[in-house]
Amino acid sequence: MFSYSRRPEKLENLVLEIGSHARSGTPRDAVGFANVLFLAVPWEEVKDALSAAGVMNGKTLISCVNPFGPRGLEVGLKTSAAEEISRLVPDAAVVEAFNTIFATILHSRAHLFGSNMPTVFYCGDDRDAKSHAAELIRDAGLQPVDAGALENARYIEPLAMLMMELGLSHRMGSDIALRLMSPAGATGLVKGGDVLARSFVEFFANAHGSATGESVLAEDFVAFLPYSRYPIRGRGKYEDWMKQFRSGFSNFQCDIDELIDDGMRAAVRWTWSGTHTGNLLGIAPTNRKIEFTETHLFRISGGRIAEDHVSANLLDLLDQFGTTQFAAA
């Protein structure tokens, strides 16, 4: 549904172009119609557009608004257009996206660059809303990169200003786009914290999980574990430690209890269980069924997990083993 135009014929032409699946209406009609709303108005029209839209309880609002004025960016450093919009509609989950790419790229269905997909940064504080944005970016044939919390729009909007300067003032045109590149590759960049965390859980639960670990853990990965006196440094050493840990159990499985991520960090609480059938951290096999909960705080860098800080109640684990002796690894 298209809405908010000074010229009704513009909305009608858009509907005719799309066909039977499209319609037009007022901003308030659009809020009632859709779960995902897209705000694409000039900076000076934001308050009027949002006032016309009304209450947005539980809606995802994707903003591509940049605070451009006669002298450039009108807000920055201490706030951003996205944050100001979020304050105006506190009942909506605001995500910033699509604001660093020219409309001509979208009109071309992003095929101007062959297999090199342009990058679209997105940021927000609501995980589900960000997932909606990332899905729409992919649908447009673009590479979504999670830039973290909504306040990081303060960094994305100046980047949009740079694109405007290059395209208009430096006469490079509107057929230009950014692409973020990394040794991890495009597939690594598009993974959000929640995806990486779930992949890590699969690796943790898999006794032969080195292949999965290759795509999830950074080469210089560091693990801070309650089972070990010293941090385990390096992906290879951690994989070796994990295989040794897993060898102490049969019928091992792991279930996620809670997961929170903001793009740069992810917090996961999971519960693992298994039968203690092998030597584990100096404890001989007890053949007991063990069920234990851990909380992991991941730091994400370059599309991979760089650090893991683990918290757990070791007294509970010892009690389940039926031993008061614990040999630290």
Side-chain angles (χ1 to χ4, degrees):
M1 176 177 281
F2 297 99
S3 70
Y4 195 75
S5 175
R6 303 301 185 192
R7 296 184 295 111
E9 64 272 15
K10 178 180 180 180
L11 298 179
E12 294 171 5
N13 290 335
L14 287 170
V15 171
L16 290 173
E17 182 181 345
I18 299 298
S20 61
H21 295 293
R23 66 189 74 177
S24 63
T26 67
R28 201 172 295 271
D29 292 334
V31 171
F33 169 80
N35 291 322
V36 179
L37 305 163
F38 194 78
L39 183 64
V41 301
W43 172 237
E44 64 271 14
E45 300 292 335
V46 164
K47 289 184 179 180
D48 183 66
L50 294 179
S51 176
V55 178
M56 300 184 185
N57 283 336
K59 304 288 184 176
T60 294
L61 178 64
I62 299 176
S63 169
C64 70
V65 177
N66 286 306
F68 295 155
R71 297 184 178 181
L73 292 175
E74 294 192 353
V75 299
L77 297 181
K78 294 184 179 180
T79 187
S80 63
E83 291 170 279
E84 295 305 307
I85 289 168
S86 182
R87 293 186 182 98
L88 291 172
V89 283
D91 48 340
V94 176
V95 179
E96 178 159 282
F98 292 104
N99 63 319
T100 58
I101 192 163
F102 286 108
T104 52
I105 306 299
L106 298 176
H107 293 164
S108 70
R109 299 190 62 80
H111 293 160
L112 287 176
F113 311 100
S115 60
N116 292 316
M117 292 188 297
T119 294
V120 170
F121 298 98
Y122 66 99
C123 63
D125 297 329
D126 185 282
R127 186 178 67 186
D128 292 338
K130 290 172 72 173
S131 295
H132 291 148
E135 183 179 358
L136 289 171
I137 293 168
R138 293 189 190 97
D139 285 348
L142 303 164
Q143 177 200 37
V145 173
D146 190 337
L150 191 66
E151 69 176 18
N152 288 342
R154 302 173 191 181
Y155 313 129
I156 299 176
E157 290 167 11
L159 186 59
M161 187 76 248
L162 173 62
M163 293 300 293
M164 291 291 292
E165 282 289 307
L166 293 175
L168 302 180
S169 300
H170 292 260
R171 300 181 184 278
M172 292 187 180
S174 58
D175 289 343
I176 59 173
L178 298 165
R179 176 170 171 81
L180 184 65
M181 302 183 72
S182 164
T187 55
L189 288 170
V190 300
K191 291 181 179 178
D194 60 335
V195 175
L196 288 169
R198 293 180 190 280
S199 297
F200 186 93
V201 173
E202 293 177 6
F203 164 55
F204 180 79
N206 184 353
H208 308 287
S210 60
T212 304
E214 284 289 323
S215 63
V216 173
L217 306 181
E219 186 68 36
D220 56 353
F221 173 78
V222 182
F224 299 87
L225 307 176
Y227 316 105
S228 178
R229 180 177 301 173
Y230 303 105
I232 299 175
R233 301 184 182 276
R235 184 172 64 202
K237 289 184 178 180
Y238 179 77
E239 289 175 353
D240 291 341
W241 184 92
M242 182 59 66
K243 290 177 182 177
Q244 183 180 5
F245 179 87
R246 282 284 289 103
S247 68
F249 294 95
S250 59
N251 305 317
F252 193 87
Q253 65 181 43
C254 185
D255 298 305
I256 294 176
D257 302 315
E258 185 177 9
L259 192 159
I260 302 171
D261 86 273
D262 66 5
M264 294 179 292
R265 296 169 298 273
V268 190
R269 189 181 76 250
W270 69 56
T271 299
W272 57 260
S273 62
T275 304
H276 181 212
T277 54
N279 287 309
L280 177 69
L281 306 175
I283 302 174
T286 62
N287 293 312
R288 293 190 176 199
K289 179 66 179 294
I290 305 297
E291 186 174 281
F292 191 59
T293 299
E294 302 176 347
T295 299
H296 293 245
L297 178 61
F298 298 129
R299 181 176 66 82
I300 298 166
S301 177
R304 294 182 179 179
I305 297 175
E307 290 183 6
D308 180 17
H309 295 258
V310 185
S311 297
N313 183 356
L314 290 181
L315 290 177
D316 174 51
L317 184 62
L318 288 173
D319 184 61
Q320 292 189 59
F321 281 131
T323 179
T324 57
Q325 300 298 318
F326 186 80

